[in-house]
mmCIF file with all atom_site columns, all heavy atoms in Angstrom:
data_model
loop_
_atom_site.group_PDB
_atom_site.id
_atom_site.type_symbol
_atom_site.label_atom_id
_atom_site.label_alt_id
_atom_site.label_comp_id
_atom_site.label_asym_id
_atom_site.label_entity_id
_atom_site.label_seq_id
_atom_site.pdbx_PDB_ins_code
_atom_site.Cartn_x
_atom_site.Cartn_y
_atom_site.Cartn_z
_atom_site.occupancy
_atom_site.B_iso_or_equiv
_atom_site.pdbx_formal_charge
_atom_site.auth_seq_id
_atom_site.auth_comp_id
_atom_site.auth_asym_id
_atom_site.auth_atom_id
_atom_site.pdbx_PDB_model_num
ATOM 1   N N   . ALA L 1 25  ? -6.670  17.348  4.508  1.00 95.00 ? 25  ALA L N   1
ATOM 2   C CA  . ALA L 1 25  ? -6.675  16.933  3.109  1.00 95.00 ? 25  ALA L CA  1
ATOM 3   C C   . ALA L 1 25  ? -5.412  16.180  2.748  1.00 95.00 ? 25  ALA L C   1
ATOM 4   O O   . ALA L 1 25  ? -4.306  16.536  3.229  1.00 95.00 ? 25  ALA L O   1
ATOM 5   C CB  . ALA L 1 25  ? -6.778  18.207  2.221  1.00 95.00 ? 25  ALA L CB  1
ATOM 6   N N   . VAL L 1 34  ? -6.989  16.132  -5.104 1.00 95.00 ? 34  VAL L N   1
ATOM 7   C CA  . VAL L 1 34  ? -7.314  15.849  -3.649 1.00 95.00 ? 34  VAL L CA  1
ATOM 8   C C   . VAL L 1 34  ? -7.763  14.414  -3.566 1.00 95.00 ? 34  VAL L C   1
ATOM 9   O O   . VAL L 1 34  ? -8.798  14.056  -4.124 1.00 95.00 ? 34  VAL L O   1
ATOM 10  C CB  . VAL L 1 34  ? -8.386  16.823  -3.180 1.00 95.00 ? 34  VAL L CB  1
ATOM 11  C CG1 . VAL L 1 34  ? -8.738  16.502  -1.717 1.00 95.00 ? 34  VAL L CG1 1
ATOM 12  C CG2 . VAL L 1 34  ? -7.972  18.248  -3.314 1.00 95.00 ? 34  VAL L CG2 1
ATOM 13  N N   . LYS L 1 36  ? -8.293  12.817  -0.503 1.00 95.00 ? 36  LYS L N   1
ATOM 14  C CA  . LYS L 1 36  ? -9.279  12.712  0.584  1.00 95.00 ? 36  LYS L CA  1
ATOM 15  C C   . LYS L 1 36  ? -9.345  14.119  1.236  1.00 95.00 ? 36  LYS L C   1
ATOM 16  O O   . LYS L 1 36  ? -8.311  14.782  1.507  1.00 95.00 ? 36  LYS L O   1
ATOM 17  C CB  . LYS L 1 36  ? -8.886  11.698  1.623  1.00 95.00 ? 36  LYS L CB  1
ATOM 18  C CG  . LYS L 1 36  ? -9.914  11.487  2.742  1.00 95.00 ? 36  LYS L CG  1
ATOM 19  C CD  . LYS L 1 36  ? -11.268 11.056  2.207  1.00 95.00 ? 36  LYS L CD  1
ATOM 20  C CE  . LYS L 1 36  ? -11.229 9.624   1.620  1.00 95.00 ? 36  LYS L CE  1
ATOM 21  N NZ  . LYS L 1 36  ? -12.557 9.176   1.215  1.00 95.00 ? 36  LYS L NZ  1
ATOM 22  N N   . PHE L 1 38  ? -11.614 16.515  4.224  1.00 96.00 ? 38  PHE L N   1
ATOM 23  C CA  . PHE L 1 38  ? -12.629 16.688  5.286  1.00 96.00 ? 38  PHE L CA  1
ATOM 24  C C   . PHE L 1 38  ? -12.675 18.170  5.650  1.00 96.00 ? 38  PHE L C   1
ATOM 25  O O   . PHE L 1 38  ? -11.578 18.788  5.966  1.00 96.00 ? 38  PHE L O   1
ATOM 26  C CB  . PHE L 1 38  ? -12.288 15.864  6.530  1.00 96.00 ? 38  PHE L CB  1
ATOM 27  C CG  . PHE L 1 38  ? -12.413 14.370  6.303  1.00 96.00 ? 38  PHE L CG  1
ATOM 28  C CD1 . PHE L 1 38  ? -11.314 13.594  5.919  1.00 96.00 ? 38  PHE L CD1 1
ATOM 29  C CD2 . PHE L 1 38  ? -13.653 13.768  6.473  1.00 96.00 ? 38  PHE L CD2 1
ATOM 30  C CE1 . PHE L 1 38  ? -11.460 12.239  5.737  1.00 96.00 ? 38  PHE L CE1 1
ATOM 31  C CE2 . PHE L 1 38  ? -13.831 12.402  6.306  1.00 96.00 ? 38  PHE L CE2 1
ATOM 32  C CZ  . PHE L 1 38  ? -12.735 11.637  5.921  1.00 96.00 ? 38  PHE L CZ  1
ATOM 33  N N   . VAL L 1 60  ? -0.508  23.978  -0.317 1.00 91.00 ? 60  VAL L N   1
ATOM 34  C CA  . VAL L 1 60  ? -0.258  22.638  -0.937 1.00 91.00 ? 60  VAL L CA  1
ATOM 35  C C   . VAL L 1 60  ? 0.980   22.702  -1.786 1.00 91.00 ? 60  VAL L C   1
ATOM 36  O O   . VAL L 1 60  ? 1.863   21.816  -1.703 1.00 91.00 ? 60  VAL L O   1
ATOM 37  C CB  . VAL L 1 60  ? -1.467  22.188  -1.758 1.00 91.00 ? 60  VAL L CB  1
ATOM 38  C CG1 . VAL L 1 60  ? -1.161  20.910  -2.505 1.00 91.00 ? 60  VAL L CG1 1
ATOM 39  C CG2 . VAL L 1 60  ? -2.672  21.951  -0.839 1.00 91.00 ? 60  VAL L CG2 1
ATOM 40  N N   . SER L 1 86  ? 0.947   22.613  5.905  1.00 94.00 ? 86  SER L N   1
ATOM 41  C CA  . SER L 1 86  ? 0.991   21.308  5.244  1.00 94.00 ? 86  SER L CA  1
ATOM 42  C C   . SER L 1 86  ? 2.445   20.737  5.328  1.00 94.00 ? 86  SER L C   1
ATOM 43  O O   . SER L 1 86  ? 3.398   21.485  5.574  1.00 94.00 ? 86  SER L O   1
ATOM 44  C CB  . SER L 1 86  ? 0.588   21.431  3.803  1.00 94.00 ? 86  SER L CB  1
ATOM 45  O OG  . SER L 1 86  ? 1.462   22.304  3.101  1.00 94.00 ? 86  SER L OG  1
ATOM 46  N N   . ALA L 1 98  ? 1.015   15.822  -0.434 1.00 96.00 ? 98  ALA L N   1
ATOM 47  C CA  . ALA L 1 98  ? 1.006   16.730  0.676  1.00 96.00 ? 98  ALA L CA  1
ATOM 48  C C   . ALA L 1 98  ? -0.122  16.377  1.651  1.00 96.00 ? 98  ALA L C   1
ATOM 49  O O   . ALA L 1 98  ? -1.202  15.997  1.179  1.00 96.00 ? 98  ALA L O   1
ATOM 50  C CB  . ALA L 1 98  ? 0.876   18.180  0.238  1.00 96.00 ? 98  ALA L CB  1
ATOM 51  N N   . GLN L 1 149 ? 1.476   81.155  53.670 1.00 73.00 ? 149 GLN L N   1
ATOM 52  C CA  . GLN L 1 149 ? 0.998   82.537  53.640 1.00 73.00 ? 149 GLN L CA  1
ATOM 53  C C   . GLN L 1 149 ? 0.007   82.786  54.730 1.00 73.00 ? 149 GLN L C   1
ATOM 54  O O   . GLN L 1 149 ? 0.013   83.900  55.306 1.00 73.00 ? 149 GLN L O   1
ATOM 55  C CB  . GLN L 1 149 ? 0.396   82.798  52.227 1.00 73.00 ? 149 GLN L CB  1
ATOM 56  C CG  . GLN L 1 149 ? 1.399   82.732  51.091 1.00 73.00 ? 149 GLN L CG  1
ATOM 57  C CD  . GLN L 1 149 ? 2.429   83.836  51.153 1.00 73.00 ? 149 GLN L CD  1
ATOM 58  O OE1 . GLN L 1 149 ? 2.235   84.881  51.761 1.00 73.00 ? 149 GLN L OE1 1
ATOM 59  N NE2 . GLN L 1 149 ? 3.621   83.536  50.587 1.00 73.00 ? 149 GLN L NE2 1
ATOM 60  N N   . LEU L 1 166 ? -1.316  99.523  71.631 1.00 63.00 ? 166 LEU L N   1
ATOM 61  C CA  . LEU L 1 166 ? -0.581  100.801 71.847 1.00 63.00 ? 166 LEU L CA  1
ATOM 62  C C   . LEU L 1 166 ? -1.532  101.997 71.648 1.00 63.00 ? 166 LEU L C   1
ATOM 63  O O   . LEU L 1 166 ? -1.539  102.963 72.449 1.00 63.00 ? 166 LEU L O   1
ATOM 64  C CB  . LEU L 1 166 ? 0.590   100.910 70.916 1.00 63.00 ? 166 LEU L CB  1
ATOM 65  C CG  . LEU L 1 166 ? 1.439   102.185 70.949 1.00 63.00 ? 166 LEU L CG  1
ATOM 66  C CD1 . LEU L 1 166 ? 2.039   102.395 72.376 1.00 63.00 ? 166 LEU L CD1 1
ATOM 67  C CD2 . LEU L 1 166 ? 2.529   102.177 69.910 1.00 63.00 ? 166 LEU L CD2 1
ATOM 68  N N   . ALA L 1 212 ? -12.970 103.241 67.628 1.00 69.00 ? 212 ALA L N   1
ATOM 69  C CA  . ALA L 1 212 ? -12.402 102.785 66.333 1.00 69.00 ? 212 ALA L CA  1
ATOM 70  C C   . ALA L 1 212 ? -11.434 101.664 66.555 1.00 69.00 ? 212 ALA L C   1
ATOM 71  O O   . ALA L 1 212 ? -11.413 100.645 65.779 1.00 69.00 ? 212 ALA L O   1
ATOM 72  C CB  . ALA L 1 212 ? -11.739 103.942 65.647 1.00 69.00 ? 212 ALA L CB  1
ATOM 73  N N   . ARG L 1 221 ? -10.039 90.092  64.957 1.00 75.00 ? 221 ARG L N   1
ATOM 74  C CA  . ARG L 1 221 ? -10.404 88.810  65.500 1.00 75.00 ? 221 ARG L CA  1
ATOM 75  C C   . ARG L 1 221 ? -11.127 87.943  64.400 1.00 75.00 ? 221 ARG L C   1
ATOM 76  O O   . ARG L 1 221 ? -10.898 86.785  64.306 1.00 75.00 ? 221 ARG L O   1
ATOM 77  C CB  . ARG L 1 221 ? -11.312 89.015  66.720 1.00 75.00 ? 221 ARG L CB  1
ATOM 78  C CG  . ARG L 1 221 ? -10.546 89.379  67.965 1.00 75.00 ? 221 ARG L CG  1
ATOM 79  C CD  . ARG L 1 221 ? -11.373 89.253  69.221 1.00 75.00 ? 221 ARG L CD  1
ATOM 80  N NE  . ARG L 1 221 ? -12.519 90.163  69.215 1.00 75.00 ? 221 ARG L NE  1
ATOM 81  C CZ  . ARG L 1 221 ? -12.483 91.408  69.698 1.00 75.00 ? 221 ARG L CZ  1
ATOM 82  N NH1 . ARG L 1 221 ? -11.369 91.870  70.226 1.00 75.00 ? 221 ARG L NH1 1
ATOM 83  N NH2 . ARG L 1 221 ? -13.534 92.195  69.697 1.00 75.00 ? 221 ARG L NH2 1
ATOM 84  N N   . ASN L 1 238 ? -4.217  69.578  51.985 1.00 71.00 ? 238 ASN L N   1
ATOM 85  C CA  . ASN L 1 238 ? -2.843  69.091  51.843 1.00 71.00 ? 238 ASN L CA  1
ATOM 86  C C   . ASN L 1 238 ? -2.800  67.556  52.122 1.00 71.00 ? 238 ASN L C   1
ATOM 87  O O   . ASN L 1 238 ? -2.202  66.752  51.395 1.00 71.00 ? 238 ASN L O   1
ATOM 88  C CB  . ASN L 1 238 ? -1.888  69.806  52.723 1.00 71.00 ? 238 ASN L CB  1
ATOM 89  C CG  . ASN L 1 238 ? -0.449  69.557  52.378 1.00 71.00 ? 238 ASN L CG  1
ATOM 90  O OD1 . ASN L 1 238 ? -0.082  69.419  51.213 1.00 71.00 ? 238 ASN L OD1 1
ATOM 91  N ND2 . ASN L 1 238 ? 0.466   69.457  53.375 1.00 71.00 ? 238 ASN L ND2 1
ATOM 92  N N   . ALA L 1 245 ? -2.200  61.666  45.832 1.00 72.00 ? 245 ALA L N   1
ATOM 93  C CA  . ALA L 1 245 ? -0.944  61.389  45.161 1.00 72.00 ? 245 ALA L CA  1
ATOM 94  C C   . ALA L 1 245 ? -0.535  59.938  45.349 1.00 72.00 ? 245 ALA L C   1
ATOM 95  O O   . ALA L 1 245 ? -0.050  59.293  44.429 1.00 72.00 ? 245 ALA L O   1
ATOM 96  C CB  . ALA L 1 245 ? 0.162   62.331  45.688 1.00 72.00 ? 245 ALA L CB  1
ATOM 97  N N   . GLU L 1 253 ? 1.021   52.092  39.289 1.00 78.00 ? 253 GLU L N   1
ATOM 98  C CA  . GLU L 1 253 ? 1.693   50.805  39.368 1.00 78.00 ? 253 GLU L CA  1
ATOM 99  C C   . GLU L 1 253 ? 0.830   49.712  38.841 1.00 78.00 ? 253 GLU L C   1
ATOM 100 O O   . GLU L 1 253 ? 1.282   48.757  38.156 1.00 78.00 ? 253 GLU L O   1
ATOM 101 C CB  . GLU L 1 253 ? 2.119   50.548  40.806 1.00 78.00 ? 253 GLU L CB  1
ATOM 102 C CG  . GLU L 1 253 ? 3.215   51.472  41.301 1.00 78.00 ? 253 GLU L CG  1
ATOM 103 C CD  . GLU L 1 253 ? 3.519   51.271  42.800 1.00 78.00 ? 253 GLU L CD  1
ATOM 104 O OE1 . GLU L 1 253 ? 2.843   50.412  43.416 1.00 78.00 ? 253 GLU L OE1 1
ATOM 105 O OE2 . GLU L 1 253 ? 4.413   51.966  43.318 1.00 78.00 ? 253 GLU L OE2 1
ATOM 106 N N   . GLU L 1 257 ? 1.523   47.199  35.676 1.00 78.00 ? 257 GLU L N   1
ATOM 107 C CA  . GLU L 1 257 ? 1.389   45.757  35.646 1.00 78.00 ? 257 GLU L CA  1
ATOM 108 C C   . GLU L 1 257 ? 0.476   45.279  34.548 1.00 78.00 ? 257 GLU L C   1
ATOM 109 O O   . GLU L 1 257 ? 0.732   44.270  33.897 1.00 78.00 ? 257 GLU L O   1
ATOM 110 C CB  . GLU L 1 257 ? 0.873   45.299  37.032 1.00 78.00 ? 257 GLU L CB  1
ATOM 111 C CG  . GLU L 1 257 ? 1.859   45.514  38.182 1.00 78.00 ? 257 GLU L CG  1
ATOM 112 C CD  . GLU L 1 257 ? 1.231   45.139  39.491 1.00 78.00 ? 257 GLU L CD  1
ATOM 113 O OE1 . GLU L 1 257 ? 0.072   44.652  39.511 1.00 78.00 ? 257 GLU L OE1 1
ATOM 114 O OE2 . GLU L 1 257 ? 1.895   45.298  40.565 1.00 78.00 ? 257 GLU L OE2 1
ATOM 115 N N   . MET L 1 269 ? -0.024  35.643  21.970 1.00 61.00 ? 269 MET L N   1
ATOM 116 C CA  . MET L 1 269 ? -0.937  35.446  20.844 1.00 61.00 ? 269 MET L CA  1
ATOM 117 C C   . MET L 1 269 ? -0.177  35.480  19.531 1.00 61.00 ? 269 MET L C   1
ATOM 118 O O   . MET L 1 269 ? -0.478  34.750  18.595 1.00 61.00 ? 269 MET L O   1
ATOM 119 C CB  . MET L 1 269 ? -2.001  36.537  20.854 1.00 61.00 ? 269 MET L CB  1
ATOM 120 C CG  . MET L 1 269 ? -3.002  36.392  22.012 1.00 61.00 ? 269 MET L CG  1
ATOM 121 S SD  . MET L 1 269 ? -3.823  34.824  22.074 1.00 61.00 ? 269 MET L SD  1
ATOM 122 C CE  . MET L 1 269 ? -4.514  34.697  20.392 1.00 61.00 ? 269 MET L CE  1
ATOM 123 N N   . ALA L 1 272 ? 1.526   32.233  19.174 1.00 57.00 ? 272 ALA L N   1
ATOM 124 C CA  . ALA L 1 272 ? 0.542   31.131  18.951 1.00 57.00 ? 272 ALA L CA  1
ATOM 125 C C   . ALA L 1 272 ? 0.006   31.089  17.531 1.00 57.00 ? 272 ALA L C   1
ATOM 126 O O   . ALA L 1 272 ? -0.322  30.049  17.044 1.00 57.00 ? 272 ALA L O   1
ATOM 127 C CB  . ALA L 1 272 ? -0.637  31.322  19.942 1.00 57.00 ? 272 ALA L CB  1
ATOM 128 N N   . LEU L 1 273 ? 0.012   32.307  16.899 1.00 50.00 ? 273 LEU L N   1
ATOM 129 C CA  . LEU L 1 273 ? -0.502  32.369  15.558 1.00 50.00 ? 273 LEU L CA  1
ATOM 130 C C   . LEU L 1 273 ? 0.537   32.045  14.490 1.00 50.00 ? 273 LEU L C   1
ATOM 131 O O   . LEU L 1 273 ? 0.224   32.016  13.272 1.00 50.00 ? 273 LEU L O   1
ATOM 132 C CB  . LEU L 1 273 ? -1.126  33.768  15.263 1.00 50.00 ? 273 LEU L CB  1
ATOM 133 C CG  . LEU L 1 273 ? -2.408  34.106  16.088 1.00 50.00 ? 273 LEU L CG  1
ATOM 134 C CD1 . LEU L 1 273 ? -2.816  35.528  15.836 1.00 50.00 ? 273 LEU L CD1 1
ATOM 135 C CD2 . LEU L 1 273 ? -3.489  33.132  15.728 1.00 50.00 ? 273 LEU L CD2 1
#
Side-chain angles (χ1 to χ4, degrees):
V34 178
K36 185 59 68 175
F38 291 94
V60 171
S86 62
Q149 294 296 333
L166 177 61
R221 282 193 296 272
N238 193 37
E253 290 175 359
E257 292 176 2
M269 291 304 306
L273 292 175

